[in-house]
Each structure stands twice: as C-alpha cells, then as structure tokens.
Amino acid sequence: MEKKETSKLTIYDVAKAAGVSKSTVSRYLSGRFHEISENTKQKIQEVIEQLNYKPNHMARGLKGNKSFLIGAIVADITNPYTTAILRGAEDICKENGYALLICNSDNNPLKEKEYISMLQAHQIDGLIIQTTGGNNQFLEELFNDGDTPIVLVDRKVPELSFDIVGIDNQQATYRAVSYLQSQNYERIAWFTEPVTGISVRKERFHAFQEALKLQDVNHPSLEDTYVADLKKDSELERCLEDFLGKTKHQSRVIFGANSVILLKIILALQSKGIKVPEDVSLIGFDNPEWASVVYSGITTIEQPTSQIGKSCADLILKRINGTPLMPQTLSYHANLIQRGSTPAVNKYFNKEE
Amino acid sequence: MEKKETSKLTIYDVAKAAGVSKSTVSRYLSGRFHEISENTKQKIQEVIEQLNYKPNHMARGLKGNKSFLIGAIVADITNPYTTAILRGAEDICKENGYALLICNSDNNPLKEKEYISMLQAHQIDGLIIQTTGGNNQFLEELFNDGDTPIVLVDRKVPELSFDIVGIDNQQATYRAVSYLQSQNYERIAWFTEPVTGISVRKERFHAFQEALKLQDVNHPSLEDTYVADLKKDSELERCLEDFLGKTKHQSRVIFGANSVILLKIILALQSKGIKVPEDVSLIGFDNPEWASVVYSGITTIEQPTSQIGKSCADLILKRINGTPLMPQTLSYHANLIQRGSTPAVNKYFNKEE
DNA sequence: TTGTAAGCGTTATCAT
DNA sequence: ATGATAACGCTTACAA
C-alpha cells in the first residue's frame, strides 16, 4: 500500500501537468519550436525539468523505425588495439546521440552470427564489425533487407561492398621489411596466428612474402614463416626453436604479425633465457602501450587506432543520415616506430656461439 | 520501381504466411508451446526460418517494459583491467539474451551524467557502473523511479545501497606492504593519481598508511606518499626525483596504486636511466599482461577481473528477474604475484653510490 | 487450440 | 498554435 508507485513517466504525464496535449509536447521534444508558442514552450520545459522526464527510446524507435543504437562486433574486447578503436568510435557516437552495443565474437563465427541476430533484433541503426569472415551471407541480409549500413573495421571482405576502414597492411609490411633489410638482417622470420580467412593476417603474410621476393638473391629464405596456433600449448615454442636453431650464426629478427603473438613470443623467449636484441631481434605490428618499456623498447608498426574508430563512426552516421556516398575503403598509413629491439647489424656480422 | 521494397518483416507477415493469427505466432515466440498444436508449431517454425524473421525488440520492449539492454559505464574502456571485467560481464549477459551498452565516462562526472540519462532513455534493464562518484543523486533516481537495478563495480559509494562488486583493497594493500617489509625494504613510496573521491584510490591510500602505522618505529616515513596528476606534464617526474633523491642510500621500493600510474612510473624511470630493481624496486596494483615481461617481471597484485565482471552480471540479472536478494557487497581477494622487481634486500644493506 | 482487440509511449496526419 | 487519432510491432486478457 505504502509502496511508492513507480509507474513510468510518459509524455502524457507531461502533457497533463503542462495543460496541453501529447502532440504539443511531442512537438517540443522534436524541437519543432516554431510550431508552438513561446508560452507553452516555457511551460513544457519547466514541467519536463521538474518531473525529470526522459522520452522513451523504445516507443520513439518503434514509431520512427530508429533505435539510436549502433552495434560493434569485435574479435576481442580485451585487445588494446581494439579498445583504442572503440574509444574513438564511441566518442563520435555519443556526440551524435547514439549508443554503442559492443559485442565480443572471440573470433568465433558462430558467436558472431548470434550477435548479428541479436543486434538485428535490437533494430540497430548501423553496424561496425571486425568480422571473422564466416558470416558474409548474414551480413548481406542485414545490409539489404534490414537496410542497415555496415562498416568493416580492420578486416576486409572483398566479396562484400561495405565500407571498409583500416590500414594499408601491404604498405606497412613493405615498409617494415625494407627497414629490416636496411638494418642488414640476414634472416627475417614471420610469426603469425593461423591465417584462416582473416584478411589482415592474409594481407600481412602475403605482403611479407612479396616484399622478400622483391629483393635480390640474398633475400631471406621463404621458409622463415611460422604459423602458430596460440591455443595449442607448445606450438609457438617449437616454431621458435626451429628458427633459432637453424639460424645460429646469422643475424636474425622475428616479426610478430600482431601484438598478441608478439607478447607470446616475448614470454617464450624469456622463459628460454634468450636475449633481445643480443640473441635475436624483434619487431611487431600494433603498438601496445608496453612496447616502449620492454627490453630497450620494441620496434613496432603503429596504427592510428583512434582515428580508425572515429572514421568508422563517421561513415556509419553519414550513411544513417542518408548522405549519398560511394562505397569506400579508407586505408590509413601505419607508422614505423624504431626502438632498441632492432639494432643495425654489421654487414659482415658473423655470430660466435 | 525495380527497387526491392525492404519493408520490415513483422509478426503479421509470419502469421499470414503460416495461416494463423498474430497471437499464435506470439505464443510461439514466447515459447508457450503447450498452448499451440504441434502442427501449427511446426508450420510457424518453418515460416520463421524461411522468412528469416527476427522479432522486434523495441516493440516487445515497449509492451513488456523490458529492453534486454544492460548499461555499463566505465571510467576508461582502454584500460585492460576494465576490459577484462567487461569481458566477463559480457559473456554472462549474452548467455541470458542481454546486450551490453558500453559507455566511457573518462572519469568525468559530466559525461557520466549524460550517459546515465542516455541509458535511462534507452530503458536499460540494469546498470553496471564504475562511478566517478559525482552523480549519486541521478543514480538514486534511476534506481528508485526507474526501478532499475544497479551494481557498482570497483568503486564503492557508501551513501548508496546498491550492490557492490570489487576486491578487498585493504586486505590486498596490507598483504603487499607486509610482503615488502618481509623483503626488508627501508622505504616504501606510495604513488597514486589524485584521490578525489574515488573510493578505490582512497581505500588503498588509507590502507597503505594504516599498514605502515601498524609496524614498529622502524617503519618508513609517512611522507613517502606522492599524488601525481598524470595529465600535468612533469608532476610524476618531480615526485620520483624527490623520493629517489632523499633515499639515495636506503633500500627502497615504489608502490604504484594502479597499472596506469605504474606504467608511467616505468617510462619515467627509463627515461632517467634508473634501473629496476638495481636502483629501485617496484610493485603495483592490477596485473597487466606486460607485468611479467618488463624487467625481470614486476611484482603485482592481481584481481580476479573476469570473475568480477561475471558477478556483476549475475547480480544484475538476478535482480532483473526479481530474485529476492539483500543488498550486498562482494569483495574478492586479490592475489600477490611475486616477480623480479622486488628482490629481498640484505637487512644491513647500505647502498653505495 | 486459436482469434480478437486493447494497449505499451511515441510521432505524424489531419482537423480545428 | 493546438488537439484528436491512427499507427509502429508486439503481448496479453478475454472470447470463442
């Protein structure tokens, strides 16, 4: 009996309190002030303020077919690279009154699919997705049937005509390889997680191989590419042993295809007591916060993550607002940050045990 | 003319195609299978499958007063500690059909307030918040008027009776200090960001001071506490200089009150060429992924982040489902991970320049 | 077991 | 300048 009735405040309550009709309040809410008198405007404003009334997004959305929700499906929200992007996107969304529904696919196409469905049910107005590549069909459906703009971050899917925002992986990889060669390394090893259709990994992997081929006969062996599934226990260790074993007397550098594998490499090297850069040099993609602080700094390829996120949100919002725009790919240039992990080696270097 | 009409699929389309009424389809959707015949159930299932129909959450929510949305306001989505928690929460939410609306307050009460309003408008069914502490009034309103369950993560607000999930900061700090003393350090310096009402910082700060007082007369000076605003350029540097300057001949350790300041400390030490642990030892809260890899490893206090996130979500969901539950505080115990940055020092240590 | 109809909180169309 | 009223897609009494 005494329980305070917590019945939700509606536009009707405001109307009643202000002595006008729902329609008038609605006009106020939609900012169509020229359709109402200054007096009633004031009155409504007061009442809203006093009652602390907040329009119901669901009702609004139902009517107007708009949720003010933008979905974001990422592979791993725990990855600093990812969160930096989300941060950028979030800022822009907030400025424009949109909220971000963030989902974690875990690189699992099944989970990704479930999230696509869920977001669809939530009537998202747009989707930013770092896709596993395993749900192209569903994405197309969402895009066509649902009329929902989609932008792919980071990972491209050539078959789809969605907007794409990321970096130019080829350029970045070439740049890094050429830098390493200018430092006179004899052997460059590429360490990557399984490529399995993930475009970034593919692009970087191929770019690496191409970059080597472009060089003269002295170029490092193409066998210096290692695919390690980090979920399998000692796979990475075996790769490291193989590479380090067969290059004992050469100047050598390990190239980590992203910051996740880079960290694992470092852990493995440390547990083996292998020194960087004395025993082996190191370079990696992404520029995690710790890169400057491990060893004498690790040379990395930095992406403009925040800008990538902002651009994603910008694109989505433009499309939502109906700005006419050709489908487009936005590739930012990455930036090589030289640090202590890749010192120049003497051209006639010959390592003694 | 040729343009495919992308009119949204509704429950009515399904009903028509299945030759039944909306209500029957609705029954199917709500899983009330005992109220419909096996035949129609099959039929509806087929149609839904074939049409790829997804019920509209906004319409459902409008009627049922439920959004299946849970808000999460965090201070910094870029902080690994935070994302680990979100990850845990997200898993649980997903399992239960809820989506997470993640917002970044940037430790700014104003932004926080805006997000609270926004989430309120979105009719969230629950809120997980790492609060700045500056919007208690609005949180109470949301809780009372909106009938929305709230759980505070990480940061407590004693005035509010919301559920709280975090770690026992006092216990963790005591444990760490006593460990440092057992390693025979003469001076322990506390480095924190401005405390400004953020409970975690307050708790740890006080616990540190208390822990020292508990010790005998030999305890380190209470002046070894430094508050550095990381936004101000050289403030941290000055603190470091002060501490290192006045303890030149003593065994000493720096205690970073969280992983953000810990990283900044490391950067500053490196730029000054100060060695860890040779010149100064180091310990810090949180256990970022890089802690094991910097220097010979950094001693840290690890929190069960994923579990914290899961517990938040669990609590919120229970409250949403009306499970009767006393307001409660869940404090997990943190775990001290000893690494190379805090070696034991000889009791009669006397440092020579 | 199934259908009819009212209603959730808005916006938009049409009167006035 | 303002007010009725229908509609958005769904759920839920209530009827049949």
Side-chain angles (χ1 to χ4, degrees), chain A residues 6 52 57 67 69 87 90 94 101 103-104 106 114-115 117 121-122 141 145 266 270 289-290 293, chain B residues 6 52 54 57 67 69 87 90 94 101 103-104 106 114-115 121-122 141 145 266 270 289-290 293:
Chain A
T6 151
N52 188 27
H57 258 311
S67 63
L69 253 24
R87 180 72 149 82
E90 216 240 12
K94 172 163 192 298
L101 234 21
C103 311
N104 212 73
D106 225 358
E114 290 169 0
Y115 271 127
S117 284
H122 276 292
E141 273 173 25
D145 304 356
I266 296 169
Q270 293 199 346
E289 54 176 6
W290 43 265
V293 115
Chain B
T6 150
N52 188 27
K54 302 257 164 40
H57 259 311
S67 62
L69 254 25
R87 180 71 149 81
E90 217 242 8
K94 172 164 193 297
L101 234 23
C103 310
N104 212 75
D106 225 356
E114 289 170 1
Y115 271 127
H122 276 292
E141 272 173 25
D145 303 356
I266 295 170
Q270 293 199 345
E289 52 176 8
W290 44 264
V293 116

Side-chain angles (χ1 to χ4, degrees), chain B residues 208-262:
Chain B
F208 174 71
Q209 297 185 316
E210 291 301 317
L212 292 187
K213 279 191 204 138
L214 287 180
Q215 304 307 125
D216 57 347
V217 284
N218 280 323
H219 74 69
S221 150
L222 282 191
E223 290 153 70
D224 291 345
T225 55
Y226 295 92
V227 177
D229 186 340
L230 300 179
K231 283 173 209 131
K232 298 201 181 125
D233 235 17
S234 49
E235 208 165 287
L236 184 62
E237 278 72 9
R238 283 203 304 280
C239 293
L240 283 171
E241 274 161 27
D242 180 88
F243 178 63
L244 296 173
K246 76 183 185 193
T247 56
K248 274 206 180 66
H249 304 284
Q250 293 176 287
S251 62
R252 57 200 180 178
V253 53
I254 293 177
F255 200 141
N258 66 38
S259 64
V260 174
I261 199 167
L262 181 63

Side-chain angles (χ1 to χ4, degrees), chain A residues 87-307:
Chain A
R87 180 72 149 82
E90 216 240 12
D91 281 349
I92 302 292
C93 288
K94 172 163 192 298
E95 277 173 27
N96 292 272
Y98 285 80
L100 261 190
L101 234 21
I102 298 179
C103 311
N104 212 73
S105 76
D106 225 358
N107 266 327
N108 176 344
L110 195 68
K111 271 179 108 173
E112 178 176 76
K113 180 181 167 229
E114 290 169 0
Y115 271 127
I116 294 173
S117 284
M118 177 183 247
L119 293 176
Q120 213 163 350
H122 276 292
Q123 311 295 119
I124 49 166
D125 293 338
L127 176 64
I128 298 173
I129 180 170
Q130 180 188 31
T131 181
T132 64
N135 291 296
N136 299 347
Q137 189 205 129
F138 296 103
L139 290 175
E140 290 237 68
E141 273 173 25
L142 177 60
F143 187 75
N144 293 325
D145 304 356
D147 215 14
T148 310
I150 300 182
V151 5
L152 305 175
V153 223
D154 186 42
R155 302 180 182 172
K156 311 178 172 44
V157 181
E159 309 88 282
L160 303 176
S161 64
F162 307 149
D163 293 325
I164 301 174
V165 179
I167 64 159
D168 186 330
N169 283 299
Q170 192 182 37
Q171 185 257 356
T173 309
Y174 273 41
R175 168 93 183 74
V177 169
S178 113
Y179 161 73
L180 292 175
Q181 280 163 335
S182 77
Q183 300 288 79
N184 292 318
Y185 288 102
E186 293 169 278
R187 304 289 291 257
I188 308 179
W190 185 257
F191 274 69
T192 180
E193 293 182 80
V195 171
T196 59
I198 293 178
S199 76
V200 183
R201 297 184 188 167
K202 245 189 296 192
E203 286 176 11
R204 293 178 186 171
F205 191 82
H206 291 153
F208 174 69
Q209 297 186 316
E210 292 301 317
L212 292 187
K213 279 191 203 138
L214 287 179
Q215 304 306 125
D216 57 349
V217 283
N218 278 326
H219 74 68
S221 150
L222 283 191
E223 289 152 69
D224 292 346
T225 55
Y226 295 91
V227 177
D229 185 341
L230 300 179
K231 283 173 211 131
K232 301 206 178 118
D233 236 17
S234 49
E235 209 165 286
L236 183 63
E237 278 72 8
R238 283 202 304 280
C239 293
L240 283 171
E241 273 161 27
D242 181 88
F243 177 64
L244 295 174
K246 76 184 186 193
T247 56
K248 275 205 180 66
H249 304 285
Q250 293 176 286
S251 62
R252 58 200 179 176
V253 54
I254 292 176
F255 201 141
N258 65 39
S259 64
V260 175
I261 199 167
L262 181 63
L263 185 63
K264 299 290 183 192
I265 291 170
I266 296 169
L267 283 166
L269 290 176
Q270 293 199 346
S271 80
K272 287 184 186 331
I274 295 165
K275 292 218 168 57
V276 174
E278 292 83 352
D279 301 327
V280 62
S281 292
L282 210 50
I283 185 174
F285 258 96
D286 303 343
N287 180 37
E289 54 176 6
W290 43 265
S292 60
V293 115
V294 179
Y295 304 125
S296 49
I298 298 175
T299 299
T300 57
I301 295 155
E302 177 193 44
Q303 306 187 42
T305 43
S306 173
Q307 181 56 52

Side-chain angles (χ1 to χ4, degrees), chain B residues 167-347:
Chain B
I167 63 159
D168 186 330
N169 282 299
Q170 191 182 38
Q171 184 257 357
T173 308
Y174 274 42
R175 167 92 183 74
V177 169
S178 114
Y179 161 74
L180 292 175
Q181 281 163 333
S182 77
Q183 299 289 81
N184 292 317
Y185 288 102
E186 293 169 278
R187 303 290 290 257
I188 308 178
W190 185 259
F191 275 68
T192 180
E193 292 182 79
V195 171
T196 59
I198 293 179
S199 75
V200 182
R201 297 183 189 166
K202 245 189 293 191
E203 287 176 9
R204 293 178 186 171
F205 191 82
H206 291 153
F208 174 71
Q209 297 185 316
E210 291 301 317
L212 292 187
K213 279 191 204 138
L214 287 180
Q215 304 307 125
D216 57 347
V217 284
N218 280 323
H219 74 69
S221 150
L222 282 191
E223 290 153 70
D224 291 345
T225 55
Y226 295 92
V227 177
D229 186 340
L230 300 179
K231 283 173 209 131
K232 298 201 181 125
D233 235 17
S234 49
E235 208 165 287
L236 184 62
E237 278 72 9
R238 283 203 304 280
C239 293
L240 283 171
E241 274 161 27
D242 180 88
F243 178 63
L244 296 173
K246 76 183 185 193
T247 56
K248 274 206 180 66
H249 304 284
Q250 293 176 287
S251 62
R252 57 200 180 178
V253 53
I254 293 177
F255 200 141
N258 66 38
S259 64
V260 174
I261 199 167
L262 181 63
L263 185 65
K264 300 288 185 196
I265 291 170
I266 295 170
L267 283 167
L269 290 177
Q270 293 199 345
S271 80
K272 287 183 184 339
I274 295 165
K275 293 221 167 55
V276 174
E278 291 82 354
D279 300 326
V280 63
S281 291
L282 209 51
I283 186 174
F285 257 97
D286 302 343
N287 180 38
E289 52 176 8
W290 44 264
S292 60
V293 116
V294 179
Y295 304 124
S296 49
I298 298 174
T299 298
T300 57
I301 295 155
E302 177 193 43
Q303 307 188 42
T305 44
S306 172
Q307 182 57 52
I308 290 174
K310 283 186 205 295
S311 294
C312 290
D314 272 340
L315 265 175
I316 283 281
L317 291 175
K318 284 209 183 104
R319 299 222 109 98
I320 289 176
N321 296 327
T323 311
L325 235 45
M326 301 291 293
Q328 57 189 268
T329 293
L330 197 49
S331 293
Y332 285 102
H333 290 200
N335 178 30
L336 183 70
I337 303 183
Q338 301 174 216
R339 298 201 181 90
S341 69
T342 52
V345 329
N346 185 303
K347 203 143 193 169

Side-chain angles (χ1 to χ4, degrees), chain B residues 65-115:
Chain B
N65 202 25
K66 230 170 150 337
S67 62
F68 286 95
L69 254 25
I70 291 182
I73 303 182
V74 298
D76 178 13
I77 198 197
T78 258
N79 184 327
Y81 166 73
T82 307
T83 54
I85 290 178
L86 288 175
R87 180 71 149 81
E90 217 242 8
D91 281 349
I92 302 292
C93 288
K94 172 164 193 297
E95 277 172 27
N96 292 273
Y98 285 80
L100 262 191
L101 234 23
I102 298 178
C103 310
N104 212 75
S105 76
D106 225 356
N107 267 327
N108 177 344
L110 196 68
K111 273 180 106 172
E112 179 176 75
K113 179 180 166 227
E114 289 170 1
Y115 271 127

